[in-house]
Amino acid sequence: MKISAAALSPTKISGNIIRPDHPDYDRLRQVWNGSFDRYPALIIQARNTEDVRNAIRVAVAEAKPLAVRGGGHSIPGFSTCDGGIVLDLSLMNAVEVEPATRVVTVGGGALLGQIDAAGAPFGLATPAGVISHTGVGGLALGGGMGWLSRRFGMTIDSLLDATVVTATGDIVECSAETEPELFWGLRGGGGNFGVVTQFRFRMHDLGPVAMANWTYPLSAAATALRAYRDLARTAPRVVATSFSLSSASLSLTAFSSGNAARTADPIQPFGQLGPAAEGGVLGLSYCDFQCRNDAFVPWGRRYYSRGGFLHDLEDATIAEMVDAAAQAPTAESEIYVLQLGGAISDLPEEATAYSGRAAGYYWVANPIWDLTLDDAACLGWGRATARQLMARSMDTNYVNEQGDSGSDVAEKAYGATKYRRLSALKARFDSRNLFRLNQNILPDPAPSSPQRLSQPE
C-alpha cells in the first residue's frame, strides 16, 4: 500500500503530500458520496500543473491506481481509491474573469459556485450545473447542463480551450484550432484523456432573472405534469424548467433570464397547472438560486443516481414516474427531470463527444439515504426505476449521472460510432489506461507505439 520515499523524493511536488499518518488524512480522503469510504496510500494536493505532472510520474513509477479529484462529486466514487494515489486539485481553484473579453479562466479544482460568484459583479455567467459545490472539471468534461443551457448551451459549448496533462506527462494546450480531436473528446468524454489543470470559458450577459417554485401533492402530479409538458413544448429558450417527484409531492421550478425576466410573466403559467399548487416567485439572485439546493445534497450522505434522455414526456412515462416516486424508499429520494432543448440542440450531434443534443429532457432516479442498512432498498429502488425508464429513453446517455460502472457504461453512453472515435483518441493519449477511474473508455486495441513518460523540464 505504501508509496516509496524514493518515488517521491525526485518529484519536487510543491503541494501537500498527505500520508495515512497525517492528521488531516481522514478528512481529506472523504468524498461527497458517503457510500464510499476508501483508503488511498497517498493524497497529493497539487498547487500547479507541474505538481500534476509529477504526481502522474509517481503513479506510473509505482504502478498505483490514480484517482483525480476536483470537487469530489463522482457519484460512483471515482474521486478516491483504495491503496492508490488521489490527485487532489482543490488547491488549484483560481477563477479570474476578463470582463472586456467575457472570458473566465478557471483552475481545474474550482467549484461551480466560484464561477457564478466571479461573474456576478459583471453581469456575466457561464452555463453550469445546479449544485454550487460541484467541481467544474468533472461537470464540464461530461458535458454540463443547468438553468442557462436552453439559452446558451451546455457548459462544454462555452469552452474555449483547456490545458491537459496526459498520461505521458506531456502538457497539451488544446482548442478547436490546436489539437482539435482532443478538444472534441474532452467535451463529453470525461477524464479519460488526462488531467485538465485549466479551463477557459466564454461568459454571457445574464441580464435580469426570475424564478419560481410550486408544489403539488403526488395525487395531482400526473395531471399537472401532462399540462406542464404541453406548456413546456412552446416555452421560449430563455425559460428553463425542472421538476422532482418524491413519495409525497411534485415540486416544479421555472426560471427565466434576459429581458423577458424583468417580470415573472414567462414563468407564471407553470404555477397554474392545477388548483392544488402552493408556492410562487422566489426573490433570489442568480448566485443564490444556484445554491438553493446545496443543502439538499450535502457531503456525507449516501447517493445513487442513474439517468437517461427523453425526446418528450409521454403520458405513459409520466405515469411510470409518478408510480415509481410513490414507492421511493426515503423522503428525500426523488426522480429529477430537467428540461433541455433550445441552444443545446443548435449544435449537431457529432460536434462534441457529448451525446444527447436531440433530447427534450434529462431524467435521473436519485435515492438519497444515510444508513448502510438502507443500502439494499435504496439501491434496489434506484436501479429498478432506472431500468423501467430506460426502456422509454434514447439510446445514448450522460456519463456524469451514472451511479454504476462497468465495461458497457461508456459505450452505451456514446453509441458505437462515437465510442470507436473516443477509443482511438484514448489509445493516442493513454494507451495503458492510467486514467481508468472514470466511466472508462478502453484504448483501441490496435497496435500502437509504447508510451514513455516525458521527463519534467
Side-chain angles (χ1 to χ4, degrees):
M1 179 176 174
K2 292 183 178 179
I3 305 295
S4 69
L8 287 169
S9 60
T11 62
K12 299 180 180 177
I13 292 173
S14 65
N16 302 324
I17 297 175
I18 310 296
R19 303 176 189 275
D21 59 355
H22 193 283
D24 290 332
Y25 173 79
D26 279 331
R27 176 177 64 85
L28 293 175
R29 70 178 180 83
Q30 294 173 5
V31 291
W32 168 74
N33 189 345
S35 297
F36 300 97
D37 185 26
R38 292 175 177 160
Y39 293 81
L42 197 70
I43 301 169
I44 297 176
Q45 290 189 300
R47 293 189 185 277
N48 51 48
T49 296
E50 196 62 29
D51 280 355
V52 171
R53 193 183 195 194
N54 286 326
I56 290 171
R57 292 181 70 249
V58 173
V60 171
E62 296 290 295
K64 295 292 186 181
L66 179 66
V68 182
R69 171 175 163 175
H73 265 244
S74 169
I75 293 168
F78 293 137
S79 306
T80 185
C81 58
D82 279 322
I85 296 172
V86 171
L87 174 51
D88 184 341
L89 304 180
S90 61
L91 300 182
M92 300 175 63
N93 64 355
V95 176
E96 183 177 350
V97 176
E98 302 168 19
T101 59
R102 298 179 186 173
V103 171
V104 59
T105 302
V106 181
L111 304 181
L112 301 187
Q114 293 176 263
I115 298 183
D116 294 335
F122 310 105
L124 299 174
T126 295
V130 298
I131 302 297
S132 74
H133 49 73
T134 304
V136 173
L139 177 109
L141 293 175
M145 59 179 73
W147 293 110
L148 295 177
S149 294
R150 282 176 46 79
R151 183 180 175 196
F152 298 125
M154 306 287 291
T155 305
I156 53 173
D157 299 339
S158 292
L159 182 62
L160 298 172
D161 53 60
T163 302
V164 185
V165 185
T166 71
T168 59
D170 294 316
I171 299 172
V172 180
E173 305 290 341
C174 77
S175 66
E177 294 76 33
T178 304
E179 291 288 356
E181 186 68 3
L182 178 59
F183 190 60
W184 175 86
L186 287 179
R187 290 176 294 161
N192 274 279
F193 310 109
V195 181
V196 178
T197 59
Q198 181 176 283
F199 301 87
R200 288 200 321 136
F201 295 101
R202 181 183 301 109
M203 302 200 86
H204 307 268
D205 288 320
L206 179 61
V209 296
M211 66 287 293
N213 176 261
W214 298 274
T215 301
Y216 298 81
L218 193 66
S219 59
T223 300
L225 285 178
R226 289 193 293 270
Y228 158 80
R229 182 248 345 259
D230 296 341
L231 186 61
R233 283 172 176 163
T234 59
R237 60 179 57 194
V238 295
V239 170
T241 61
S242 76
F243 65 86
S244 62
L245 287 160
S246 70
S247 59
S249 65
L250 161 69
S251 177
L252 193 149
T253 301
F255 169 87
S256 66
S257 62
N259 289 332
R262 293 188 184 280
T263 69
D265 291 350
I267 59 176
Q268 287 286 16
F270 290 97
Q272 300 166 7
L273 306 179
E278 295 183 1
V281 174
L282 304 172
L284 300 175
S285 69
Y286 177 68
C287 285
D288 288 341
F289 184 62
Q290 284 285 81
C291 299
R292 185 174 68 106
N293 292 321
D294 286 5
F296 182 69
V297 286
W299 275 58
R301 301 198 75 181
R302 301 172 82 80
Y303 301 98
Y304 171 85
S305 294
R306 187 178 175 193
F309 293 118
L310 296 169
H311 283 295
D312 201 0
L313 282 171
E314 299 177 352
D315 288 354
T317 305
I318 290 172
E320 288 183 354
M321 287 181 173
V322 173
D323 287 347
Q327 307 301 317
T330 65
E332 297 89 346
S333 297
E334 63 177 6
I335 299 170
Y336 174 79
V337 180
L338 176 68
Q339 182 188 13
L340 302 178
I344 297 171
S345 57
D346 286 347
L347 287 180
E349 179 63 34
E350 65 272 14
T352 59
Y354 168 82
S355 302
R357 294 193 179 273
Y361 297 90
Y362 182 74
W363 62 266
V364 58
N366 183 29
I368 303 173
W369 70 106
D370 295 301
L371 303 176
T372 57
L373 59 85
D374 292 327
D375 284 0
C378 290
L379 291 170
W381 177 83
R383 287 173 175 146
T385 300
R387 281 194 302 270
Q388 186 177 24
L389 295 177
M390 284 298 295
R392 299 186 177 276
S393 299
M394 295 166 58
D395 290 338
T396 57
N397 216 319
Y398 182 42
V399 295
N400 280 357
E401 294 280 2
Q402 305 308 312
D404 295 311
S405 59
S407 59
D408 63 335
V409 174
E411 187 166 2
K412 288 182 178 179
Y414 302 109
T417 300
K418 279 191 179 180
Y419 187 83
R420 284 194 296 269
R421 185 174 172 183
L422 289 163
S423 182
L425 189 64
K426 177 77 169 181
R428 179 183 164 199
F429 286 99
D430 186 16
S431 66
R432 296 178 180 176
N433 206 11
L434 173 67
F435 301 115
R436 59 186 179 274
L437 294 181
N438 44 46
Q439 296 297 2
N440 195 225
I441 296 166
L442 296 176
D444 188 326
S448 60
S449 300
Q451 290 185 329
R452 282 190 272 176
L453 189 71
S454 301
Q455 294 301 313
E457 298 171 356

